[in-house]
Amino acid sequence: MTDINRWLLPDGLEEALPDAARRLEDLRRRVLDQFDTWGYDLVMPPLAEYLESLLTGAGHALDLQTFKLTDQLTGRMMGVRADLTPQVARIDAHRLRVQGPNRLCYVGSALRTRADEWSGSRSPLQAGAELFGHDGIDSDLEIIRLMLATLAACGVERPSMDLGHVGIYRALAQDAGLDASQEQEFFDQLQRKSVPEIEQTLAAWQAGGMDPAACARLRSLVDLNGDATVLDAARRALAGAPVEVAVALDHLQAVVARLEASEPGLDLHLDLAELRGYAYHTGLVFAAFVPGSGQAIARGGRYNEIGRVFGRARAATGFSTDLRAFVRREAGAPMTPRQTVLAPATGDVALEAAIADLRARGVRVVRELEGQDNEVPGGARLEPRAGEWTVVEH
């Protein structure tokens, strides 16, 4: 290994240098303050847990994203968290055991075996909020509105948003009699919106005896996307489907109506083939986008029953985002200069008191070092004037 290779970081892992670190910390504080004003309590899950709890309800995809290691104390398998949501669900269900709604939030680093599709990072600084203990439109809307407010705090004022509902596909797959393998196969094709593959698959299933009407309903999903009028088209295309489909469409209709009333100008897009997090989501799913990017900057949805394995089957909905991605978007933008004052290396008690007072008021004070170039940006200095130490601009 050459000397230069000693300093290379693995692909997708990153460090924050002073400007980026300052931006990231400012952003973290703004986001946590935002969560607090909405009534969400901060929790700090551990970086690693036993796999049995870490991957509960998270599905196959998160298993593949998780770095695994052996606990040297017990010999049991542990994982470094790739997503904080299952950990927060464990805290709600097992540690806090709150009766009724419980609002929790978090900001913490995660580690993934593969890069995130939007940010290209394997080490996101994940921020999110989860609302447990309520199953209904009010909690869905609260989480969506909090996501929009959080994006605004991160500098994204006018995102577009996709809405979907995994219950529609789940009910149609069950109605068509798809086994687990077929359900996953068709799911993959829907996510890629590969119409030729979809039609070929459905033709083969129909030739094998599958109900033609069920096949037609599955085929229609790939085309059911657009503005709110797509819901009327969906009711026609999915006529004859199980009642769960109509219930899901009614829920989507109500969410859209209330968002249009409370968030005028929000760019809403519906996609009934939008199934992010299908392995663990159970209802409404949503994602936010910025112009010029095809990847979501924040996403979330409902994931009821995730706490069952911890002893409490709790309704839940939430969202998350990667704060590092917002800092990358700001790279190169000028930062507000911070006032910095240079103070002598040695002095009297009055000097120490003046330095302490400035620092208590949030002013950066840098002490001189003998034999060094002690200039600081701004040129302000603490100097003795009229018997007291005073900040003097130079």
Side-chain angles (χ1 to χ4, degrees), residues 16 20-29 125 323-324 327:
R22 180 183 162 195
R23 292 181 193 270
L24 199 56
E25 178 59 16
D26 288 347
L27 189 57
R28 186 190 69 86
R29 294 181 188 185
L125 183 61
L323 297 187
R324 288 185 184 273
V327 172

Side-chain angles (χ1 to χ4, degrees), residues 19-37:
D19 281 355
R22 180 183 162 195
R23 292 181 193 270
L24 199 56
E25 178 59 16
D26 288 347
L27 189 57
R28 186 190 69 86
R29 294 181 188 185
R30 289 204 305 272
V31 167
L32 286 178
D33 287 346
Q34 178 81 264
F35 291 159
D36 186 66
T37 62

Side-chain angles (χ1 to χ4, degrees), residues 17-96:
L17 301 182
D19 281 355
R22 180 183 162 195
R23 292 181 193 270
L24 199 56
E25 178 59 16
D26 288 347
L27 189 57
R28 186 190 69 86
R29 294 181 188 185
R30 289 204 305 272
V31 167
L32 286 178
D33 287 346
Q34 178 81 264
F35 291 159
D36 186 66
T37 62
W38 284 61
Y40 285 72
D41 293 323
L42 178 65
V43 293
M44 296 181 178
L47 182 63
E49 291 193 40
Y50 293 123
L51 285 178
E52 294 91 331
S53 63
L54 191 64
L55 299 181
T56 295
H60 185 59
L62 197 55
D63 182 29
L64 293 177
Q65 282 281 51
T66 300
F67 280 98
K68 301 174 179 68
L69 60 153
T70 302
D71 181 8
Q72 296 299 309
L73 295 180
T74 66
R76 293 174 61 185
M77 290 301 296
M78 297 174 62
V80 180
R81 65 189 182 199
D83 186 338
L84 277 73
T85 302
Q87 295 184 295
V88 180
R90 174 186 55 76
I91 289 172
D92 169 75
H94 182 65
R95 297 300 303 276
L96 297 178

Side-chain angles (χ1 to χ4, degrees), residues 11-304:
D11 288 345
L13 303 185
E14 54 199 312
E15 57 202 1
L17 301 182
D19 281 355
R22 180 183 162 195
R23 292 181 193 270
L24 199 56
E25 178 59 16
D26 288 347
L27 189 57
R28 186 190 69 86
R29 294 181 188 185
R30 289 204 305 272
V31 167
L32 286 178
D33 287 346
Q34 178 81 264
F35 291 159
D36 186 66
T37 62
W38 284 61
Y40 285 72
D41 293 323
L42 178 65
V43 293
M44 296 181 178
L47 182 63
E49 291 193 40
Y50 293 123
L51 285 178
E52 294 91 331
S53 63
L54 191 64
L55 299 181
T56 295
H60 185 59
L62 197 55
D63 182 29
L64 293 177
Q65 282 281 51
T66 300
F67 280 98
K68 301 174 179 68
L69 60 153
T70 302
D71 181 8
Q72 296 299 309
L73 295 180
T74 66
R76 293 174 61 185
M77 290 301 296
M78 297 174 62
V80 180
R81 65 189 182 199
D83 186 338
L84 277 73
T85 302
Q87 295 184 295
V88 180
R90 174 186 55 76
I91 289 172
D92 169 75
H94 182 65
R95 297 300 303 276
L96 297 178
R97 303 190 70 83
V98 171
Q99 299 300 319
N102 189 25
R103 294 171 170 86
L104 300 176
C105 66
Y106 57 87
V107 175
S109 294
L111 182 65
R112 297 170 180 169
T113 59
R114 296 177 178 83
D116 178 80
E117 60 184 8
W118 179 58
S119 66
S121 174
R122 292 198 293 166
S123 58
L125 183 61
Q126 187 179 345
E130 315 294 331
L131 202 168
F132 299 96
H134 183 270
D135 188 7
I137 189 172
D138 288 343
S139 48
D140 286 337
L141 285 166
E142 179 173 318
I143 285 293
I144 290 173
R145 289 168 179 150
L146 178 54
M147 180 185 74
L148 295 173
T150 302
L151 292 179
C154 295
V156 179
E157 295 287 348
R158 297 187 64 83
S160 60
M161 194 170 76
D162 275 9
L163 287 175
H165 197 297
V166 301
I168 295 173
Y169 175 62
R170 188 163 283 127
L172 292 178
Q174 183 176 1
D175 182 56
L178 302 188
D179 60 29
S181 174
Q182 292 172 319
E183 185 175 342
Q184 183 62 48
E185 176 187 2
F186 197 73
F187 166 83
D188 292 338
Q189 294 171 2
L190 276 178
Q191 297 318 283
R192 292 182 282 109
K193 288 186 166 52
S194 177
V195 174
E197 284 184 84
I198 287 171
E199 292 181 341
Q200 182 178 2
T201 297
L202 290 173
W205 288 348
Q206 187 170 331
M210 187 175 290
D211 179 12
C215 288
R217 287 191 286 267
L218 287 169
R219 167 62 180 85
S220 69
L221 287 178
V222 74
D223 298 321
L224 291 174
N225 56 83
D227 61 21
T229 60
V230 79
L231 293 175
D232 293 331
R235 294 184 193 280
R236 294 190 295 270
L238 302 178
V243 66
E244 291 86 354
V245 172
V247 170
L249 291 173
D250 289 344
H251 190 78
L252 279 172
Q253 189 98 49
V255 169
V256 169
R258 288 179 60 174
L259 282 176
E260 288 178 340
S262 64
E263 307 287 338
L266 177 62
D267 181 17
L268 276 175
H269 182 268
L270 285 99
D271 188 347
L272 301 194
E274 170 51 63
L275 300 170
R276 287 186 179 89
Y278 178 73
Y280 60 92
H281 279 136
T282 60
L284 185 75
V285 289
F286 48 86
F289 299 82
V290 292
S293 174
Q295 305 297 340
I297 58 170
R299 60 172 62 98
R302 180 161 291 282
Y303 55 102
N304 292 351

